[in-house]
Amino acid sequence: MHRRAMLLGGATGVLGAGGYLLWQGQGAQAPDTASDLLPFQPANAQEVSGDLPEVIEMSKGNPDAAVTLIEYASFTCPHCRSFHENVYPQLEANYIEPGLINFIYREVYFDRYGLWAGMMARCGGPLRYFGIVDLLYENQSEWTQGSPAEVAENLRRIGRTAGLTNEELDACMTDAAMAEAMIANYEANIEVHDIPGTPAFVLNDELHGNMNYASLSGLIDAELEAAG
């Protein structure tokens, strides 16, 4: 409960529409145009089973594939940013887009900024989710800087870049019930997979730490060969 209180602390005051509108300073800048960023490839909308049907499992690729790769990552983690810049594009091109694997992305909340980023990413639903994830990692060194109010406005700016309206952002980023559900879902996931840090990967139920593309592709190829 201490972690949940820490993550949620101050959210209503900072993330609320009034909190945003009161801040008029200059924070970190993210691009305000979406000309080169849309359309986004949609995620497969799959509801998580259990007590949290409102939390969507975000996945790409082939949900019926014999090989499933789960990535656990934090939007504020520099190593996760490095993975998404240097490894993920090859993974997507060679395994996800051809439908060879089912790729599931699970958010890890080490801090409240990571939670806020996850809330904003989900504002666009499955259609925009992975595009917003790309923006969050591309601009990580900018949007994470400043006061909580500045970080919140930076996230809103990224949301607008992805085509979301201020009204849509206000509605989803002040949804306390969703924030609680997301944290509870995260806690349930790490009860199953005791991840040592981020990024971490679960390949067909086997936990792995961060790795380069050659190592990851070798593991995936072995699983694909074993599956026939």
Side-chain angles (χ1 to χ4, degrees), residues 67-188:
V67 175
T68 294
L69 177 67
I70 303 171
E71 178 188 359
Y72 284 93
S74 165
F75 290 124
T76 58
C77 162
H79 297 295
C80 301
R81 178 189 64 197
S82 178
F83 175 83
H84 274 263
E85 289 177 348
N86 302 308
V87 179
Y88 180 77
Q90 299 175 80
L91 176 70
E92 182 175 37
N94 296 326
Y95 294 99
I96 298 174
E97 289 184 352
L100 296 177
I101 67 171
N102 180 33
F103 174 77
I104 298 173
Y105 182 89
R106 290 181 177 170
E107 300 160 5
V108 173
Y109 310 126
F110 291 133
D111 50 59
R112 56 183 175 172
Y113 292 171
L115 172 64
W116 296 356
M119 293 174 70
M120 191 277 291
R122 289 173 176 272
C123 290
L127 179 64
R128 291 187 173 98
Y129 178 80
F130 281 107
I132 294 175
V133 167
D134 290 342
L135 292 176
L136 286 168
Y137 283 124
E138 288 169 11
N139 297 281
Q140 185 190 83
S141 60
E142 288 80 34
W143 70 260
T144 54
Q145 301 303 308
S147 68
E150 290 172 316
V151 170
E153 177 57 27
N154 294 339
L155 290 171
R156 279 173 59 92
R157 188 176 294 111
I158 291 175
R160 290 194 297 270
T161 298
L164 297 169
T165 66
N166 285 328
E167 291 74 17
E168 289 171 328
L169 289 163
D170 288 341
C172 72
M173 292 185 71
T174 57
D175 189 341
M178 175 57 73
E180 289 273 8
M182 288 167 63
I183 295 171
N185 188 59
Y186 156 61
E187 291 172 339

Side-chain angles (χ1 to χ4, degrees), residues 24-84:
Q24 299 296 327
Q26 296 297 317
Q29 299 295 311
D32 265 330
T33 60
S35 57
D36 298 326
L37 302 171
L38 297 174
F40 294 146
Q41 182 177 357
N44 299 318
Q46 301 170 355
E47 289 190 348
V48 175
S49 61
D51 297 331
L52 299 170
E54 69 272 29
V55 178
I56 302 297
E57 184 92 289
M58 295 298 183
S59 65
K60 297 174 76 173
N62 178 8
D64 298 320
V67 175
T68 294
L69 177 67
I70 303 171
E71 178 188 359
Y72 284 93
S74 165
F75 290 124
T76 58
C77 162
H79 297 295
C80 301
R81 178 189 64 197
S82 178
F83 175 83
H84 274 263

